Amino acid sequence: MATVYELGRPHPLDAPSVSDTPRPPLVKVITSHEFSQLPDISQEGRSGLAALEPAEMNFVELYPSFLIGSFAVPDKSDPTGDPDCLSFYLDASCLIFIDDGNVTADLLKKVATSGILTKATTSHCLYALMKSLIADDFTWFSVMEDSMEALEEAMLDHSEEVTSQTIMGYRRAAMKMGSYYQQIAVMADLIADNENKVMSREEARAFEHVSTHASHLANRAETLREYSLQLRELHQTQIDLKQNSTMQILTIVTVMFAPLTLVTGWFGMNLTVLPGLDWPYMAATIITLALIMIVAMVLFFKKKNWL
């Protein structure tokens, strides 16, 4: 069932209207099926919204007497997952949100408690909703940056195991959010141009603030994306250092056992006559020489700081 708010009332978004004949300007929240049954929507508007529903993107389209658009709001707990989607239809007397879930209701509650809505117009209500979509996102980015810095410290201190998937998760989140803010900025710019004169000039200019804010957030997302690339390079560098250390140890062990390998090869030859085989101290001499060579190599490696 449609939820209707009368913008002419004090605190209009605190509670839906209970009037049988609500007075415009109105904000309505309805399902896609209910929207298809509305009699006063042009076929052009219906077709445009039908094309936007499966797109999962932030987009706006201007028509001579109205505008339509859609929002695809990422879940900040998992920005790489499926976004929350809704569409809208706006003219001078009515702002209709088409939502088959509870996304719009939650956003309107946020607008009501934030105090952003100060004018009883449909255009200003859309502005307030768009502003609330990105109002607290700088704080979210700060938390994300703190997590990335903690990850960097963990890699430098070797205090915990860091995987490539964790780093790539930050990169994908920054890319997804950056794309979201860029789309919001483009939407706000198109509405601010007000080519179809659906709203007053003052109301249209308010959307420039949304565009500026979204652009700053997009730049912030790009900064964190670049930071994630630096973390990935640091992680790869540490992997390379571990591999080099392992190869160094294997090389040292191989070199240390080279004298024994030489002795084994020499005296393991299938020869009937070999100088020194009949000497009673030969075995002890060979073992002593091998040990001396091993000790000498160990001292040499320690001097080079290879051990």
Side-chain angles (χ1 to χ4, degrees), residues 12-229:
L13 300 181
D14 286 349
S17 172
V18 294
S19 173
D20 294 332
T21 56
R23 300 176 60 183
L26 302 174
V27 174
K28 296 181 180 180
V29 183
I30 62 178
T31 64
S32 54
H33 175 72
E34 290 171 335
F35 180 79
S36 65
Q37 305 300 316
L38 292 179
D40 52 349
I41 304 297
S42 68
Q43 184 58 39
E44 194 176 23
R46 296 181 194 275
S47 301
L49 280 169
L52 288 177
E53 282 185 9
E56 292 191 358
M57 63 183 301
N58 301 276
F59 182 78
V60 67
E61 184 73 26
L62 276 64
Y63 291 87
S65 59
F66 62 92
L67 58 87
I68 61 172
S70 63
F71 294 106
V73 186
D75 182 0
K76 294 184 180 65
S77 62
D78 182 19
T80 59
D82 295 333
D84 297 323
C85 298
L86 64 141
S87 306
F88 66 90
Y89 171 96
L90 181 142
D91 59 26
S93 62
C94 193
L95 171 59
I96 303 174
F97 290 105
I98 302 96
D99 181 9
D100 294 324
N102 298 318
V103 181
T104 304
D106 294 339
L107 289 174
L108 291 178
K109 288 179 181 177
K110 185 177 180 180
V111 172
T113 57
S114 65
I116 302 174
L117 187 65
T118 57
K119 297 179 181 179
T121 64
T122 57
S123 301
H124 188 71
C125 185
L126 179 62
Y127 158 76
L129 183 134
M130 291 182 67
K131 190 172 182 179
S132 69
L133 283 175
I134 58 178
D136 303 323
D137 288 7
F138 273 115
T139 303
W140 182 82
F141 274 128
S142 297
V143 174
M144 180 178 175
E145 185 177 16
D146 290 341
S147 300
M148 294 173 72
E149 289 177 351
L151 194 68
E152 182 180 20
E153 291 294 331
M155 285 192 289
L156 293 174
D157 297 339
H158 304 285
S159 57
E160 64 179 79
E161 187 67 25
V162 178
T163 63
S164 299
Q165 288 77 6
T166 302
I167 299 174
M168 292 304 296
Y170 285 113
R171 179 175 177 269
R172 286 191 291 266
M175 290 178 61
K176 189 71 175 285
M177 296 302 291
S179 176
Y180 166 66
Y181 296 126
Q182 288 172 357
Q183 292 175 12
I184 291 291
V186 171
M187 283 183 68
D189 281 334
L190 288 174
I191 298 174
D193 288 341
N194 196 26
E195 293 181 0
N196 55 4
K197 306 299 188 238
V198 171
M199 60 191 76
S200 68
R201 182 178 179 182
E202 182 182 359
E203 290 173 334
R205 289 185 62 184
F207 285 90
E208 295 178 359
H209 299 293
V210 176
S211 176
T212 301
H213 192 179
S215 296
H216 289 325
L217 286 167
N219 293 335
R220 181 75 164 140
E222 178 62 20
T223 300
L224 291 184
R225 188 190 71 85
E226 293 176 355
Y227 186 20
S228 69
L229 293 177

Side-chain angles (χ1 to χ4, degrees), residues 257-284:
F257 282 92
L260 297 179
T261 304
L262 176 62
V263 172
T264 303
W266 177 261
F267 288 96
M269 291 186 293
N270 189 19
L271 297 176
T272 57
V273 178
L274 191 64
L277 283 179
D278 54 350
W279 187 39
Y281 303 106
M282 177 56 72

Side-chain angles (χ1 to χ4, degrees), residues 248 252 256 297-299 301-302 304-307:
Q248 183 179 10
I252 291 173
M256 289 177 63
M297 282 187 288
V298 169
L299 294 175
F301 291 147
K302 284 187 174 181
K304 293 293 186 179
N305 291 324
W306 293 349
L307 291 178

